């Protein structure tokens, strides 16, 4: 996975991580407005399925059209029913929706910026970072309570080197 990730980082045809801090700061504005980052997840451990029909591309397109500054996608398969493929699907859907919105606004679609995809998963090992990046995640969340301080620092350091 490390070699695949390194190859993807130098391959000009592979998408680079999108800035996620900029869109969130922009949504907050100069006044520091409250910002919502919607999260897409299939189910909850206790209550089960959250929707009868979980259509991730449709949800992501709607969130993109509504102006979400970023979209969090839960890829935890054990507790939340997510998959790595959900990250790829969300990235593709946000790209398609951003281009469609641009065309609808009369633009030519050139220079369109889709909202970044934030992968939400219980990350404990470096290989998970590599897999999520290869799936198209622009950023990840690290659950501080689940990690020792040294592991949190280690994963943060690795994440900062992935492009």
């Amino acid at each position: 996975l490390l070699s695949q990730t390194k190859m993807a980082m130098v391959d000009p045809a592979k998408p680079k991580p999108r800035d996620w801090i900029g869109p969130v700061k922009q949504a907050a504005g100069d006044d520091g407005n409250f910002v919502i980052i919607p999260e897409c997840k299939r189910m909850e451990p206790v209550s089960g399925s959250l929707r009868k029909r979980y259509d991730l591309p449709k949800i992501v397109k709607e969130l993109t059209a509504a102006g979400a500054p970023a979209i969090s996608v839960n890829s935890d398969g054990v507790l939340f029913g997510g998959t790595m493929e959900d990250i790829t699907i969300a990235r593709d859907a946000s790209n398609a929706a951003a281009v469609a919105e641009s065309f609808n606004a009369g633009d030519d679609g050139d220079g369109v910026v889709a909202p970044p995809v934030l992968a939400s998963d219980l990350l404990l090992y470096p290989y998970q970072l590599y897999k999520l990046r290869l799936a198209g995640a622009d950023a990840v969340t690290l659950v501080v309570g689940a990690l020792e301080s040294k592991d949190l620092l280690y994963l943060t350091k690795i994440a900062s080197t992935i492009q």
Side-chain angles (χ1 to χ4, degrees), residues 26-160:
Q26 184 179 10
D30 294 335
D31 299 333
N33 297 322
F34 189 73
V35 178
I36 294 173
I37 299 175
E39 181 174 50
C40 301
K41 77 171 97 166
R42 294 178 182 276
M43 58 183 266
E44 283 288 333
V46 175
S47 61
S49 181
L50 296 172
R51 287 181 172 223
K52 286 185 180 183
R53 292 199 172 137
Y54 183 79
D55 186 346
L56 183 60
K58 181 180 178 186
I59 294 168
V60 169
K61 286 176 184 176
E62 289 171 354
L63 293 171
T64 300
I71 298 171
S72 177
V73 178
N74 195 303
S75 57
D76 182 303
V78 176
L79 295 175
F80 300 101
T83 67
M84 288 288 168
E85 187 178 31
D86 287 348
I87 302 296
T88 305
I89 290 168
R91 185 178 179 100
D92 292 345
S94 68
N95 284 341
V99 170
E101 285 295 310
S102 177
F103 283 134
N104 290 341
D107 295 337
D108 61 2
D110 192 31
V112 171
V113 178
V117 174
L118 176 66
S120 178
D121 196 345
L122 181 59
L123 298 174
L124 301 173
Y125 306 104
Y127 82 88
Q128 293 172 288
L129 292 171
Y130 300 126
K131 285 177 73 171
L132 288 166
R133 180 60 206 122
L134 288 171
D138 299 302
V140 297
T141 58
L142 293 176
V143 179
V144 176
L147 296 166
E148 298 282 332
S149 293
K150 64 180 177 53
D151 296 329
L152 180 63
L153 291 172
Y154 180 62
L155 289 173
T156 301
K157 184 176 180 180
I158 290 172
S160 70

Side-chain angles (χ1 to χ4, degrees), residues 4 7-17 91 133-134 163:
Q4 288 175 322
M7 287 176 51
M9 287 169 42
V10 297
D11 185 348
K14 297 285 185 184
K16 301 297 178 216
R91 185 178 179 100
R133 180 60 206 122
L134 288 171
Q163 296 178 1

